[in-house]
Amino acid sequence: MVSVKRFIHDEPALFKASKAFVAQLFRCADPIVYVACKLSDKNEQIAWTLLGSALFQERSYPEILRLMLALHERFPGDKLWSLPVPKGGEIEEVVEQTFNSRNWSVFENVAGIFWSVGLFVRHHPDLVAWMRERTPEEMWRDLGEIYFMGRSNPRPKACAAIYRLIAPAPLGLGLAYRECAKMPPLPLTMGARRFLAMLGPAKEDNFSELDPKEKQKLANEFFVALAPENPYFAAHSLQFFLENGTNGFICRELTANCSECPLYEYCNYAEVRKRY
């Protein structure tokens, strides 16, 4: 039986190292937030965060960063939501030029996602007020209007978008919202999944065989244990674990090729096995 409490009891040193890993990486911005923070208008920041969250799939962090920058350069300001909307071929051209390929499962849906986010903004023209007047749960429901944001629980892209909007900088935009006790599930990224399966509470079990609800429950409990002051810090940090970056894994790039990583004694992918 996979148990966070048992993991903490049986692996105190590894748990301590995991907490240190979270503390070391939690201030690193993901590519969606990085691009949004470059925009001066709050409405634009929110709109592009929603677009990036819907698009973020099956591409590396640097690739998504390049795509977001390229799309914004081609369609700046209110071009994401103003009429007339860009032609599908124009949007696809940006993707193809960015990736030098059409080989992406989302490629044929990118224009639809772009248009859908634009329609969402036209339905909610003051996005700052939209956030301020809604709880995260209500935002989660509204985001079902956006194509590829997901319609069935837990809708991870919608959850990720919300936390990017409300988390304090530099993790997110730190925008105001109507607070409530119930929050959407914390984002369960591929990096966090790897961590849970390789170094976390599921390392002695087959994480892949757990059903989605069990995976999410385990992740939420582990995030709370790692960062009780704000569990999103843990969810955010673990997304970088063994995630491809520009020159190898992002976590390597952020820890001097593993030499400064608290997990270097435990991770089989560590480049540096001991300190000198």
Side-chain angles (χ1 to χ4, degrees), residues 3-194:
S3 167
V4 172
K5 287 184 178 179
R6 190 180 71 183
F7 171 77
I8 295 172
H9 178 271
D10 293 347
E11 300 277 6
L14 176 53
F15 178 66
K16 182 179 179 180
S18 301
K19 292 189 73 170
F21 182 85
V22 167
Q24 189 166 342
L25 272 66
F26 88 92
R27 291 189 176 277
C28 301
D30 75 18
I32 309 304
V33 174
Y34 178 84
V35 172
C37 286
K38 288 183 171 292
L39 312 178
S40 57
D41 180 74
K42 295 295 184 186
N43 230 42
E44 196 177 352
Q45 288 182 347
I46 297 170
W48 281 86
T49 298
L50 298 180
L51 176 64
S53 298
L55 288 175
F56 205 163
Q57 179 176 322
E58 298 175 9
R59 283 289 177 176
S60 71
Y61 283 54
E63 287 174 329
I64 288 294
L65 174 61
R66 293 203 312 272
L67 177 61
M68 290 291 290
L69 291 171
L71 284 169
H72 188 266
E73 182 179 2
R74 182 72 172 270
F75 309 108
D78 63 357
K79 298 296 184 184
L80 173 55
W81 62 86
S82 62
L83 296 174
V85 300
K87 295 179 180 179
E90 295 176 321
I91 299 169
E92 291 175 350
E93 182 182 31
V94 176
V95 179
E96 187 171 5
Q97 289 177 349
T98 301
F99 297 151
N100 294 316
S101 170
R102 292 183 168 224
N103 186 24
W104 184 26
S105 65
V106 184
F107 182 82
E108 294 183 354
N109 305 105
V110 171
I113 294 170
F114 191 100
W115 296 329
S116 181
V117 173
L119 181 61
F120 183 86
V121 180
R122 293 195 295 276
H123 284 169
H124 309 278
D126 188 343
L127 290 174
V128 175
W130 169 76
M131 284 192 60
R132 188 175 58 246
E133 295 165 1
R134 284 165 175 76
T135 65
E137 186 178 20
E138 290 168 336
M139 285 188 268
W140 182 86
R141 291 198 197 102
D142 285 353
L143 291 178
E145 299 173 25
I146 297 177
Y147 183 46
F148 255 66
M149 196 66 88
R151 293 189 178 276
S152 59
N153 199 21
R155 287 168 47 197
K157 288 186 177 183
C159 296
I162 291 167
Y163 283 103
R164 286 181 176 119
L165 294 172
I166 68 176
L171 284 73
L173 300 181
L175 297 172
Y177 62 97
R178 190 156 65 88
E179 295 188 18
C180 70
K182 188 174 182 180
M183 295 290 288
L186 290 159
L188 181 50
T189 59
M190 290 305 300
R193 290 169 186 266
R194 288 186 207 101

Side-chain angles (χ1 to χ4, degrees), residues 2 4 196 201-202 207 210 214-222:
V2 181
V4 172
L196 285 163
F207 180 73
L210 298 177
E214 289 177 315
K215 290 177 181 177
Q216 188 67 58
K217 182 175 182 293
L218 177 66
N220 283 354
E221 291 176 357
F222 193 49

